[in-house]
Amino acid sequence: MPRVPVMADPMPPLFHELLGDGYEVLPWDLQPGSASLERAVGIITYSHPKVDGALLDRMPNLKVVSNHGVGVDHINVPDAEARKIPVGNTPGCLDAATADLTMALILATARNVVVGDRYARSPEFTHYDPSILIGHEVSGTTLGIIGLGRIGRQVARRALAFDMRVLYFNRTRNEDAEQDLNVTYVPFDDLLGQSDFIALNCPLTRETTGLISGPQFALMKKSAILVNMARGPVVDHAALYDALKSGQIAGAGIDVTDPEPLPRDHPLLSLGNLVITPHLGSASDRTRRRMMEMTIENLNAGVTGQPLSWQVRSPK
Ligand code: DGY
């Protein structure tokens, strides 16, 4: 049987193993005359390479774009739809892992986990001192979730187990979630003003780009901690730096940045009240394996002209 050619950016061995022998994986090669562009019937986007109409127009045999991950802001879905190329993603399977890391960043930032780790390894740690690294209590405080989708709801469940009061803001109010979860809808500015922790769990869209900037930081409590698990461009990084540096807010935990990664000399990286992780939201063994399986299921469907199990559709 001839193997089906697919173009992919570099993927780990497990992904190749799960793909099996039925596929020939071609390199992500955008040079003029690229055999990958000429031959590929499918695209796998593993680490967010950009896909737009200009690329699709160079791929005469393409039938499907299958994204490893739920966020597809790096793929121009309307461009793909205009060319009748379905785009698949992997919703649902990563909600728990991403919510877990949201809580991890809340706790790490509030309770000095990273600074404490460095200190505990250093020669300065000579005796137990109850007066150092006094953090902010998490239990019993107020969490504001921006974006009460699948991941946001999982964050709410975890926060409720920490006896937190949970506020949320979402494009559309979700009364079912309010009943199921005991979360309270508040206007955006009220959420910013009332929350001790603010978790960004929304997708990156035109509306959420630059959602948190100077005026929004000005509404937050001085003791507030912002956690960004969404996408870097949701937060204006210059304003975030100013807010952290000036004490406008107490801290931030960010899993995503703009650009990603930040230049090594970016001022944010010099701040002690910032905890940063390298886009690890869904990075647990079980979740990553399931993401690969779903990516392959979408790919299999697309290359054989079947409906995708998880197809992204642009809002009408
Ligand atoms: C997602 O699923 O969107 C994660 O950010 C990984 O791509």
Side-chain angles (χ1 to χ4, degrees), residues 142 165 167 187-196 198 216 218-222 224:
T142 298
R165 178 168 79 110
L167 311 177
F188 183 57
D189 286 358
D190 293 2
L191 180 145
L192 298 178
Q194 291 181 34
S195 301
D196 300 299
I198 296 166
Q216 289 70 43
L219 293 176
M220 295 179 195
K221 297 181 182 181
K222 285 213 176 324

Side-chain angles (χ1 to χ4, degrees), residues 36-100:
S36 303
L37 295 178
E38 179 58 37
R39 295 180 54 220
V41 175
I43 284 180
I44 298 174
T45 45
Y46 182 64
S47 59
H48 298 185
K50 188 172 161 202
V51 174
D52 59 12
L55 174 65
L56 300 175
D57 286 342
R58 299 174 67 198
M59 303 189 71
N61 293 305
L62 190 69
K63 292 187 175 170
V64 61
V65 177
S66 186
N67 183 59
H68 174 269
V70 66
V72 289
D73 42 283
H74 52 293
I75 300 173
N76 189 321
V77 177
D79 278 5
E81 285 174 341
R83 291 159 180 80
K84 307 222 173 331
I85 309 277
V87 175
N89 70 343
T90 65
C93 68
L94 43 72
D95 302 345
T98 308
D100 288 350

Side-chain angles (χ1 to χ4, degrees), residues 102-112 135-143 158-159 161-165 196-197 225:
T102 309
M103 294 309 291
L105 284 181
I106 287 174
L107 291 162
T109 312
R111 297 298 306 277
N112 293 310
H136 300 277
E137 187 99 0
V138 174
S139 301
T141 59
T142 298
L143 171 67
R158 284 155 180 72
F162 276 77
D163 295 328
M164 296 175 99
R165 178 168 79 110
D196 300 299
F197 298 90
I225 288 179

Side-chain angles (χ1 to χ4, degrees), residues 3-55:
R3 295 189 303 156
V4 180
V6 294
M7 182 168 89
D9 55 326
M11 305 183 303
L14 176 62
F15 211 146
H16 288 272
E17 197 185 301
L18 295 173
L19 260 178
D21 293 334
Y23 286 100
E24 178 189 4
V25 180
L26 305 171
W28 195 270
D29 175 7
L30 307 184
Q31 299 300 316
S34 150
S36 303
L37 295 178
E38 179 58 37
R39 295 180 54 220
V41 175
I43 284 180
I44 298 174
T45 45
Y46 182 64
S47 59
H48 298 185
K50 188 172 161 202
V51 174
D52 59 12
L55 174 65

